[in-house]
Amino acid sequence: MLTSVQTTTKILLIANSPSDASMFREKLSELNGTLGDTDVTTVPSLDEAEELIGQDTAVFIDLHLRGCNQNTALNFVRKHKRKHPVVIYSLVQDKSVIKKFGKYGIGYLVKGEHTASQIAFELWRAQGAVEMAQARREAIDESHRIISECQRQNG
């Protein structure tokens, strides 16, 4: 069970349909503060998302954007998934597409066929993936530092 937190969850919803944005916000409101306060910004394209994406921002991406195909979306996801929680939020129900994004550990929600709790779960899972990637980078950096120091002392 999710517990309440006292933070603001920043969400960047990349979707070009006002009704999709409304449905997404409605589902979030059903969580009754489980995610803390939510600040949802909606943009209609990946280009605009690039300009607005900031630290501590979770990203939900629709695959039906102008000028965007699955490969474009996948490239965006791969670029940002280590620093930002990313979830696909789309009408596309093709299992091969879902599997393609799943291969990279990206959550996938089919519009209209999910609950508010599933949004929260996918966000939580994506946040965990970002934290693990950060911990991994820090461990690698620390290992390199220790190796360098040992080489200096022996060298």
Side-chain angles (χ1 to χ4, degrees), residues 2 9-13 20-31 34-35 38 40 58-60 85-90 107-127:
L2 296 170
T9 302
K10 295 178 186 174
I11 296 174
L12 183 58
L13 174 62
D20 290 344
S22 256
M23 181 173 54
F24 185 83
R25 283 185 172 88
E26 185 179 312
K27 289 289 185 187
L28 282 179
S29 72
E30 293 173 18
L31 292 170
T34 300
L35 298 175
T38 54
V40 180
V59 181
F60 285 75
V86 179
V87 178
I88 301 299
Y89 179 71
S90 185
Y108 200 104
L109 295 170
V110 176
K111 290 180 195 174
E113 296 187 14
H114 62 280
T115 65
S117 295
Q118 286 170 316
I119 291 176
F121 174 78
E122 289 298 341
L123 178 59
W124 170 78
R125 192 174 70 78
Q127 287 170 329

Side-chain angles (χ1 to χ4, degrees), residues 142-155:
E142 180 65 9
S143 296
H144 288 158
R145 187 192 66 74
I146 291 169
I147 290 168
S148 294
E149 190 169 314
C150 288
Q151 288 173 337
R152 240 189 343 268
Q153 289 177 356
N154 293 327

Side-chain angles (χ1 to χ4, degrees), residues 41-150:
T41 301
T42 304
V43 294
S45 71
L46 293 177
D47 290 337
E48 289 183 54
E50 286 285 359
E51 294 174 17
L52 291 177
I53 196 166
Q55 189 173 356
D56 301 326
T57 302
V59 181
F60 285 75
I61 304 172
D62 185 355
L63 295 180
H64 283 107
L65 302 171
R66 280 191 199 101
C68 176
N69 60 37
Q70 291 168 21
N71 290 331
T72 308
L74 187 58
N75 288 337
F76 181 92
V77 165
R78 291 171 68 189
K79 177 180 178 182
H80 292 289
K81 74 178 189 133
R82 285 188 172 84
K83 292 185 180 178
H84 303 282
V86 179
V87 178
I88 301 299
Y89 179 71
S90 185
L91 283 172
V92 176
Q93 298 183 35
D94 183 330
K95 288 183 182 183
S96 67
V97 173
I98 295 169
K99 202 175 195 179
K100 179 190 280 189
F101 286 95
K103 176 180 169 184
Y104 292 97
I106 303 303
Y108 200 104
L109 295 170
V110 176
K111 290 180 195 174
E113 296 187 14
H114 62 280
T115 65
S117 295
Q118 286 170 316
I119 291 176
F121 174 78
E122 289 298 341
L123 178 59
W124 170 78
R125 192 174 70 78
Q127 287 170 329
V130 169
E131 290 169 8
M132 286 182 63
Q134 176 65 30
R136 197 174 314 122
R137 281 191 302 274
E138 289 172 3
I140 290 169
D141 290 348
E142 180 65 9
S143 296
H144 288 158
R145 187 192 66 74
I146 291 169
I147 290 168
S148 294
E149 190 169 314
C150 288

